[in-house]
Amino acid sequence: MIHYRITVTPLGPRETELVSGTIWGHLAWAVRYLEGETAFSAWLEEQEHEPWLVSSYMPEGMLPKPILSPPLQAQEAPDFDSAERQKAFRKIKFIAEKTFLKLRSQMEANALVREMPYPPATHRTGGRESRTAHNRINRITGRTPDEGGLFFHDRILDPKERRFQVFIQTPTPCKEKIKALLDFIGSQGFGANASTGSGHMQFDVVEETELFCATGNRALTLSHGILTPNMTAPRYRLHTHHGKLGGHFAVGGFSPFKYPILMVKPGSTFTPEGEGLFGQLLTGVHHDPALAGVRHHALHLPLFFTEATA
């Protein structure tokens, strides 16, 4: 398997988070538009058997904080600084890659707390949210309604210096193909309101080896995906994904809304059983029989580590 690290540089506001299933969906549409319907059908067939595994986004140089066994409590009462450090640790969502690599052969919560920079300013993520109020126009009267017409438009404004990263695993080398697909996505815009300037990005692709070369008794998912029976003893936080159709299906005669999907968030951990895929490439995610071929990527890109036992 080949792994790629994709560095994402936002070029403007965005309105859609870069979660794994949505990224995979944009890659699928990029294959369709750049290579044609026949090539897309062949690619989709390959995805059924040897899929690309895609992570959700994370800050550059960081990984989702793994959900581990609760830290052991000391017999004596903790001092103020220790209590504040534990409190700060519970709030963070990401840890530094170097911290994960340092502890991956003997991972446990107390060690993560000790390695966390304090105060954890470097762990703050996400851009500034901008909310703009709009008023609806009555097409008959040409005026705004007296009540009930106000709606809000949310955007995420990332600082110019903030960059993100995404990881992709493929069964065979295809760096040039991935770069071409991502460049197309970045130029067209990612997610909602791309036609009005949202979601434009720049992508840099390099091969990654160090993060994915180890094994262990536990796995950390970098993706939003569903739980499958080969993911035993899971520790997770839930996420309900409300997906929408993309590409020309988004502007056709179909309802854009997919069924809600209950998934686990990046940072969830589990004991892997076997060497197969974790999660699933879902079918039947839209109510319209004419769209039976629509898929949703609910697979996991795992990072393996060894969790210390008490």
Side-chain angles (χ1 to χ4, degrees):
M1 296 296 177
I2 312 299
H3 296 89
Y4 298 99
R5 179 196 298 267
I6 293 95
T7 302
V8 185
T9 303
L11 301 179
R14 58 186 170 91
E15 300 182 31
T16 302
E17 300 286 11
L18 284 82
V19 299
S20 51
T22 309
I23 296 171
W24 184 89
H26 278 70
L27 290 168
W29 280 110
V31 172
R32 166 62 180 82
Y33 290 135
L34 291 177
E35 302 180 15
E37 187 69 44
T38 301
F40 170 69
S41 297
W43 181 82
L44 195 59
E45 178 65 24
E46 293 172 1
Q47 297 296 298
E48 298 285 351
H49 305 98
E50 293 186 312
W52 292 5
L53 303 183
V54 183
S55 81
S56 297
Y57 82 107
M58 60 208 78
E60 185 179 23
M62 307 191 82
L63 297 171
K65 182 184 72 175
I67 302 176
L68 305 172
S69 297
L72 297 176
Q73 299 297 321
Q75 295 298 323
E76 65 277 2
D79 58 69
F80 178 79
D81 288 342
S82 297
E84 286 296 297
R85 181 178 284 270
Q86 288 279 1
K87 181 179 179 181
F89 177 76
R90 288 193 293 269
K91 293 180 179 180
I92 66 172
K93 297 180 180 180
F94 302 96
I95 62 172
E97 282 184 28
K98 62 181 181 181
T99 300
F100 178 85
L101 293 172
K102 179 178 180 179
L103 301 176
R104 79 182 306 170
S105 62
Q106 199 72 3
M107 186 79 70
E108 56 97 12
N110 282 324
L112 271 182
V113 174
R114 290 192 296 270
E115 292 291 330
M116 180 190 71
Y118 185 78
T122 56
H123 295 272
R124 294 172 184 168
T125 60
R128 178 173 61 86
E129 293 187 0
S130 170
R131 167 164 285 194
T132 305
H134 297 267
N135 213 332
R136 184 165 50 87
I137 300 295
N138 187 312
R139 301 301 178 186
I140 298 176
T141 65
R143 303 178 62 178
T144 58
D146 293 332
E147 58 183 21
L150 197 65
F151 66 95
F152 296 91
H153 182 206
D154 294 326
R155 299 192 302 173
I156 302 172
L157 306 177
D158 295 302
K160 293 181 179 179
E161 68 278 6
R162 176 162 287 141
R163 301 202 298 179
F164 306 103
Q165 63 187 21
V166 172
F167 296 96
I168 296 179
Q169 174 186 305
T170 62
T172 56
C174 54
K175 177 180 177 181
E176 292 75 15
K177 181 182 181 75
I178 290 176
K179 183 66 166 66
L181 297 177
L182 291 173
D183 285 345
F184 177 80
I185 294 169
S187 64
Q188 298 296 306
F190 181 93
N193 290 315
S195 61
T196 58
S198 292
H200 289 262
M201 306 172 186
Q202 176 181 315
F203 299 92
D204 297 301
V205 183
V206 297
E207 191 170 338
E208 173 61 43
T209 55
E210 184 178 16
L211 275 177
F212 297 93
C213 66
T215 59
N217 61 7
R218 297 284 287 176
L220 160 71
T221 179
L222 303 181
S223 314
H224 287 76
I226 64 169
L227 289 174
T228 46
N230 60 349
M231 302 167 65
T232 61
R235 300 188 189 101
Y236 56 87
R237 292 187 178 89
L238 292 174
H239 164 78
T240 303
H241 183 76
H242 299 274
K244 296 181 181 179
L245 297 174
H248 51 260
F249 285 166
V251 295
F254 307 102
S255 166
F257 302 106
K258 300 178 184 177
Y259 291 127
I261 304 171
L262 187 64
M263 298 188 287
V264 298
K265 293 181 178 182
S268 300
T269 61
F270 58 92
T271 299
E273 293 289 342
E275 299 181 354
L277 296 170
F278 304 105
Q280 189 177 349
L281 186 62
L282 296 176
T283 60
V285 295
H286 196 276
H287 63 85
D288 195 323
L291 299 176
V294 173
R295 303 286 189 268
H296 184 83
H297 185 285
L299 291 156
H300 298 275
L301 176 55
L303 270 182
F304 296 98
F305 66 96
T306 298
E307 184 170 3
T309 56

